[in-house]
Every structure is written in structure tokens, then in C-alpha cells.
Amino acid sequence: MESMEKLSKVNIVYTNKLNEKILKKENVLVIYDQFLNHFPDVKKFISKYTNYPVDAGEELKNIEHFAGHIKNILNLTAEFSVSDMTILAIGGGTVGDFSGFVASVFKRGVKLIHVPSTWLSAIDSAHGGKTALNVPPSKNQIGTFYQAQKIIIIKELLFSQPPERSFDALGELLKILLLCGTQSKWAQFFKNKIKNKNQLLWDNLPWAISSKYKIVKKDPFEKSGLRQILNLGHTLGHVLELEWSMSHGVAVQQGLCFALNWSLQNKLMTKKTHHLIFDVFTKFEIHQKLDQISLKNTESILLKDKKNLGNSKVNFIFLKSFGKVIREPVKISDLVIEMRRQGYKFT
Ligand SMILES: NC(=O)c1ccc[n+]([C@@H]2O[C@H](COP(=O)([O-])OP(=O)(O)OC[C@H]3O[C@@H](n4cnc5c(N)ncnc54)[C@H](O)[C@@H]3O)[C@@H](O)[C@H]2O)c1
């Protein structure tokens, strides 16, 4: 709670390289994605700290492994001063969600710093203070609001990612543009030929991050519901992420296509706006995949959605036009009918 009150003081640092001047060595535990051992600079940096390597991925967030992780972390930090302890999380969204949760509950809360290593985490998940664990088969059922004191964005680390990671993050970037941008910003943004997605993401990172904070600050604990608009594309996105084992970012792209098509179908969005948006999706090779999906699992995942209102209804985020959203309760059965209409094949 206290950490979220510090939202206005979040410190975002942009730097080229990961270096030891970032913070002191004592009482710091680095929780990091061990894939990053491939990067000599990161490996060298981490070796100077007490560190806890983890495998990135949804399994890291699985609550069933949590007690084991905490026992390991207790052993590693036995000599630490708790009042001065900091967890430095280096990795993508799964490492950030996991480490944030650890920081919020370990000895009733220790300081937290994020070093996002994927575009998705740099644009989205490292900001806003949501932490999460999964209770299989559902995602993010356990969590806290716990804002990091600092988020350090390292250009070299982000640019080292393969193309699939930048493609992943496009969904979250497009989402924030639809939520907070204007038609002219949309047109301007995509006017030029797309040469380098890394550069495109980097150039738009500060705007995307500050746009997210503007929404989060109005409803830091998701009490008024305003913050829920950030879930545009996520209702179906989470279903597909679980059912089709898609990356979070690609599933959100799919969820966005569905939400925008439904907005058009419900006559909330004009054909012209729909066209403008999908032109850009096509340019980025974002296409709706309409494979088979289990009806039973779809309904059961939707029932566990955090936007579930009871009575088999969820709050769904529709888009009217750029910067104009409508949050509306929909019946899960109507969502399923719309999925069928759009071409999903239920088994
Ligand atoms: N807390 C929030 O507000 C929030 C918001 C959005 C998403 N999320 C969560 O974030 C997670 C998805 O994030 P993610 O896609 O970053 O997942 P991730 O942490 O699993 O990373 C994806 C992959 O990228 C690899 N990777 C990490 N850094 C790399 C680098 N520099 N170069 C190459 N590969 C690298 C990882 O090893 C992993 O294989 C999901 O669990 C989602 O629920 C949370």
C-alpha cells in the first residue's frame, strides 16, 4: 500500500549499459533470468551481487513452486539487513511479476528495482506495480500492488533481443496508442516505412510508459475500474495465451483484433476507424488466427478473469475511437457467440 503511494515518485532511468554504479552491493539480491548469462556484460554485473538465477516463463509464477523459491531466498539472504534489503529483478515480465511478488511479501516487504530485459516488460509489465503468481490452469490469480522504487531501462539489453521479442511487444504498444493516442498520432506514428522494430519501440518507449502511468495514477489499486481499460485485448488474450500456449504479447494482439472487431459489430466503432486501425495491424503482420479452441476451457478461464462480475458476466473493454473506450459488462455466453461469429471453431 505504502509503496503504491510512492507512485508519483517512480524513478525511471534510461541508460546505455548495465553498470555497477547503479546501486550499492550490500543487502541487494539480484533475481535474474538465467538466459541472460548469454550476455557477458550482464553475467559480469550479476556475479558481483548475491544472486538468484531463475528460468523465465509462466512456470516461474506457478504458486506451487513458491515455497521452494522463498526457502532458497531465505538461505541466500540470511546475513542481510532486512530494513535495507533490495530485490533487483533483471528479466522479462515473468521474472518481474515473480520478483515483485517476492519483494512485496518477503519479511513483509523489501525494496524493489526492475531492470526489464524484454520490450514487453520495458513498455508495460515493469510499470504500475502489479505483481502476480499463477494458480494453474489460471494466470495471475494471486498478486499484490507493489510499486518498484526505480525502473532502469538499458538500451543495449533491449536492443539485443531477437525479432520475435519486439513483435511480442507491439501489441502492448498498439494498445496504449489506441487508449491514449489520437488519430493523427496513430497516422503520424506509422507514416514511415518500418525498418527497425527495436528502434520504433525505443523511440516510443517514454511516451508509452508515461501514458500508462497517467492511467495507473488515477486508479492505482484498480478500485474505480478506470485502470481496467489497460486490459483492452486481454480478456480473450489470456484465454488464448493459456489455451494455445502463445506468448503474452502475441495473445494480446489476438485479443485486440477480437475486441476491435466486436466494437465494430456492436456499432460502437465506425468502419473508417476500424479500417485505419487494421491497416496498421496488417502492416505489422498482425493477423487474427482462428484455430480450434475448447469451449469448456474458454468458459472456465473467462469465469476466473479478474474482471468477472459474477452472474457469468465480465467487464469487457470496447474501443469507440482513439482514446475513447467503453467498459461494459458482457455475458460470457455472448462473448462465446461473438467468438463463433468471428470464426473461432469450438471443440
Ligand atoms: N505486471 C503487469 O502489469 C504485467 C503486464 C503485462 C504482462 N505481464 C506478464 O508478463 C509476462 C510476459 O512477459 P515477457 O514476454 O517479457 O515474458 P518472459 O519473462 O517469459 O520473457 C519471454 C522470453 O524472453 C526471454 N528474454 C528475456 N530477456 C531477453 C533478452 N534481452 N533477449 C532475448 N530474450 C530474452 C526470456 O528468457 C523468455 O524466454 C506474462 O506473465 C504476463 O502475464 C505483467
Side-chain angles (χ1 to χ4, degrees), residues 98-112:
F98 165 79
S99 306
F101 187 77
V102 173
S104 69
V105 295
F106 191 74
K107 314 252 178 162
R108 301 209 173 85
V110 297
K111 285 171 240 156
L112 172 67

PDB file of all heavy atoms in Angstrom, residues 98-112:
ATOM      1  N   PHE A  98       7.116 -12.198 -10.749  1.00  0.00           N
ATOM      2  CA  PHE A  98       7.529 -13.084  -9.653  1.00  0.00           C
ATOM      3  C   PHE A  98       8.338 -12.297  -8.604  1.00  0.00           C
ATOM      4  O   PHE A  98       8.039 -12.330  -7.411  1.00  0.00           O
ATOM      5  CB  PHE A  98       8.366 -14.247 -10.225  1.00  0.00           C
ATOM      6  CG  PHE A  98       9.140 -15.028  -9.203  1.00  0.00           C
ATOM      7  CD1 PHE A  98       8.512 -15.979  -8.413  1.00  0.00           C
ATOM      8  CD2 PHE A  98      10.507 -14.807  -9.023  1.00  0.00           C
ATOM      9  CE1 PHE A  98       9.229 -16.705  -7.450  1.00  0.00           C
ATOM     10  CE2 PHE A  98      11.221 -15.527  -8.068  1.00  0.00           C
ATOM     11  CZ  PHE A  98      10.582 -16.475  -7.276  1.00  0.00           C
ATOM     12  N   SER A  99       9.352 -11.573  -9.066  1.00  0.00           N
ATOM     13  CA  SER A  99      10.231 -10.848  -8.133  1.00  0.00           C
ATOM     14  C   SER A  99       9.461  -9.759  -7.390  1.00  0.00           C
ATOM     15  O   SER A  99       9.712  -9.507  -6.211  1.00  0.00           O
ATOM     16  CB  SER A  99      11.390 -10.184  -8.881  1.00  0.00           C
ATOM     17  OG  SER A  99      12.062 -11.128  -9.657  1.00  0.00           O
ATOM     18  N   GLY A 100       8.534  -9.115  -8.086  1.00  0.00           N
ATOM     19  CA  GLY A 100       7.710  -8.083  -7.454  1.00  0.00           C
ATOM     20  C   GLY A 100       6.871  -8.687  -6.339  1.00  0.00           C
ATOM     21  O   GLY A 100       6.741  -8.116  -5.248  1.00  0.00           O
ATOM     22  N   PHE A 101       6.330  -9.877  -6.609  1.00  0.00           N
ATOM     23  CA  PHE A 101       5.536 -10.536  -5.573  1.00  0.00           C
ATOM     24  C   PHE A 101       6.423 -10.898  -4.387  1.00  0.00           C
ATOM     25  O   PHE A 101       6.062 -10.647  -3.231  1.00  0.00           O
ATOM     26  CB  PHE A 101       4.834 -11.788  -6.125  1.00  0.00           C
ATOM     27  CG  PHE A 101       3.879 -12.387  -5.134  1.00  0.00           C
ATOM     28  CD1 PHE A 101       2.637 -11.810  -4.903  1.00  0.00           C
ATOM     29  CD2 PHE A 101       4.237 -13.509  -4.390  1.00  0.00           C
ATOM     30  CE1 PHE A 101       1.763 -12.338  -3.951  1.00  0.00           C
ATOM     31  CE2 PHE A 101       3.371 -14.045  -3.439  1.00  0.00           C
ATOM     32  CZ  PHE A 101       2.121 -13.468  -3.219  1.00  0.00           C
ATOM     33  N   VAL A 102       7.606 -11.453  -4.681  1.00  0.00           N
ATOM     34  CA  VAL A 102       8.540 -11.796  -3.590  1.00  0.00           C
ATOM     35  C   VAL A 102       8.833 -10.533  -2.774  1.00  0.00           C
ATOM     36  O   VAL A 102       8.717 -10.535  -1.541  1.00  0.00           O
ATOM     37  CB  VAL A 102       9.867 -12.393  -4.142  1.00  0.00           C
ATOM     38  CG1 VAL A 102      10.883 -12.569  -3.022  1.00  0.00           C
ATOM     39  CG2 VAL A 102       9.619 -13.718  -4.852  1.00  0.00           C
ATOM     40  N   ALA A 103       9.193  -9.441  -3.448  1.00  0.00           N
ATOM     41  CA  ALA A 103       9.564  -8.206  -2.732  1.00  0.00           C
ATOM     42  C   ALA A 103       8.416  -7.719  -1.851  1.00  0.00           C
ATOM     43  O   ALA A 103       8.636  -7.206  -0.753  1.00  0.00           O
ATOM     44  CB  ALA A 103       9.971  -7.122  -3.728  1.00  0.00           C
ATOM     45  N   SER A 104       7.194  -7.911  -2.308  1.00  0.00           N
ATOM     46  CA  SER A 104       6.053  -7.368  -1.556  1.00  0.00           C
ATOM     47  C   SER A 104       5.728  -8.190  -0.312  1.00  0.00           C
ATOM     48  O   SER A 104       5.127  -7.666   0.620  1.00  0.00           O
ATOM     49  CB  SER A 104       4.824  -7.271  -2.454  1.00  0.00           C
ATOM     50  OG  SER A 104       4.339  -8.561  -2.784  1.00  0.00           O
ATOM     51  N   VAL A 105       6.120  -9.458  -0.286  1.00  0.00           N
ATOM     52  CA  VAL A 105       5.759 -10.290   0.876  1.00  0.00           C
ATOM     53  C   VAL A 105       6.970 -10.749   1.698  1.00  0.00           C
ATOM     54  O   VAL A 105       6.797 -11.165   2.843  1.00  0.00           O
ATOM     55  CB  VAL A 105       4.932 -11.544   0.453  1.00  0.00           C
ATOM     56  CG1 VAL A 105       3.593 -11.131  -0.133  1.00  0.00           C
ATOM     57  CG2 VAL A 105       5.687 -12.436  -0.520  1.00  0.00           C
ATOM     58  N   PHE A 106       8.158 -10.675   1.137  1.00  0.00           N
ATOM     59  CA  PHE A 106       9.330 -11.193   1.842  1.00  0.00           C
ATOM     60  C   PHE A 106       9.574 -10.341   3.088  1.00  0.00           C
ATOM     61  O   PHE A 106       9.778  -9.141   2.978  1.00  0.00           O
ATOM     62  CB  PHE A 106      10.551 -11.170   0.908  1.00  0.00           C
ATOM     63  CG  PHE A 106      11.729 -11.924   1.446  1.00  0.00           C
ATOM     64  CD1 PHE A 106      11.735 -13.315   1.462  1.00  0.00           C
ATOM     65  CD2 PHE A 106      12.838 -11.256   1.947  1.00  0.00           C
ATOM     66  CE1 PHE A 106      12.819 -14.020   1.958  1.00  0.00           C
ATOM     67  CE2 PHE A 106      13.929 -11.954   2.440  1.00  0.00           C
ATOM     68  CZ  PHE A 106      13.912 -13.342   2.460  1.00  0.00           C
ATOM     69  N   LYS A 107       9.524 -10.966   4.251  1.00  0.00           N
ATOM     70  CA  LYS A 107       9.679 -10.255   5.535  1.00  0.00           C
ATOM     71  C   LYS A 107       8.763  -9.032   5.586  1.00  0.00           C
ATOM     72  O   LYS A 107       9.142  -7.955   6.015  1.00  0.00           O
ATOM     73  CB  LYS A 107      11.133  -9.824   5.751  1.00  0.00           C
ATOM     74  CG  LYS A 107      12.146 -10.924   5.454  1.00  0.00           C
ATOM     75  CD  LYS A 107      12.783 -11.481   6.674  1.00  0.00           C
ATOM     76  CE  LYS A 107      13.731 -12.607   6.288  1.00  0.00           C
ATOM     77  NZ  LYS A 107      14.696 -12.961   7.261  1.00  0.00           N
ATOM     78  N   ARG A 108       7.599  -9.189   5.028  1.00  0.00           N
ATOM     79  CA  ARG A 108       6.555  -8.142   4.943  1.00  0.00           C
ATOM     80  C   ARG A 108       6.953  -6.960   4.044  1.00  0.00           C
ATOM     81  O   ARG A 108       6.422  -5.854   4.177  1.00  0.00           O
ATOM     82  CB  ARG A 108       6.172  -7.617   6.328  1.00  0.00           C
ATOM     83  CG  ARG A 108       5.647  -8.712   7.236  1.00  0.00           C
ATOM     84  CD  ARG A 108       4.664  -8.199   8.248  1.00  0.00           C
ATOM     85  NE  ARG A 108       4.082  -9.308   8.960  1.00  0.00           N
ATOM     86  CZ  ARG A 108       4.630  -9.878  10.030  1.00  0.00           C
ATOM     87  NH1 ARG A 108       5.763  -9.407  10.518  1.00  0.00           N
ATOM     88  NH2 ARG A 108       4.033 -10.883  10.606  1.00  0.00           N
ATOM     89  N   GLY A 109       7.866  -7.187   3.141  1.00  0.00           N
ATOM     90  CA  GLY A 109       8.135  -6.155   2.142  1.00  0.00           C
ATOM     91  C   GLY A 109       9.542  -5.596   2.177  1.00  0.00           C
ATOM     92  O   GLY A 109       9.993  -5.109   3.203  1.00  0.00           O
ATOM     93  N   VAL A 110      10.221  -5.705   1.036  1.00  0.00           N
ATOM     94  CA  VAL A 110      11.555  -5.112   0.905  1.00  0.00           C
ATOM     95  C   VAL A 110      11.557  -4.258  -0.377  1.00  0.00           C
ATOM     96  O   VAL A 110      10.626  -4.353  -1.182  1.00  0.00           O
ATOM     97  CB  VAL A 110      12.655  -6.202   0.823  1.00  0.00           C
ATOM     98  CG1 VAL A 110      12.702  -7.029   2.099  1.00  0.00           C
ATOM     99  CG2 VAL A 110      12.465  -7.115  -0.392  1.00  0.00           C
ATOM    100  N   LYS A 111      12.606  -3.452  -0.522  1.00  0.00           N
ATOM    101  CA  LYS A 111      12.629  -2.542  -1.680  1.00  0.00           C
ATOM    102  C   LYS A 111      12.780  -3.323  -2.991  1.00  0.00           C
ATOM    103  O   LYS A 111      13.323  -4.427  -3.003  1.00  0.00           O
ATOM    104  CB  LYS A 111      13.794  -1.551  -1.534  1.00  0.00           C
ATOM    105  CG  LYS A 111      13.507  -0.465  -0.512  1.00  0.00           C
ATOM    106  CD  LYS A 111      14.752   0.344  -0.239  1.00  0.00           C
ATOM    107  CE  LYS A 111      15.106   0.229   1.227  1.00  0.00           C
ATOM    108  NZ  LYS A 111      16.422   0.432   1.633  1.00  0.00           N
ATOM    109  N   LEU A 112      12.301  -2.697  -4.057  1.00  0.00           N
ATOM    110  CA  LEU A 112      12.271  -3.380  -5.362  1.00  0.00           C
ATOM    111  C   LEU A 112      12.769  -2.445  -6.471  1.00  0.00           C
ATOM    112  O   LEU A 112      12.374  -1.280  -6.533  1.00  0.00           O
ATOM    113  CB  LEU A 112      10.818  -3.813  -5.661  1.00  0.00           C
ATOM    114  CG  LEU A 112      10.498  -4.383  -7.037  1.00  0.00           C
ATOM    115  CD1 LEU A 112      11.183  -5.749  -7.237  1.00  0.00           C
ATOM    116  CD2 LEU A 112       8.988  -4.547  -7.216  1.00  0.00           C
TER     117      LEU A 112
END
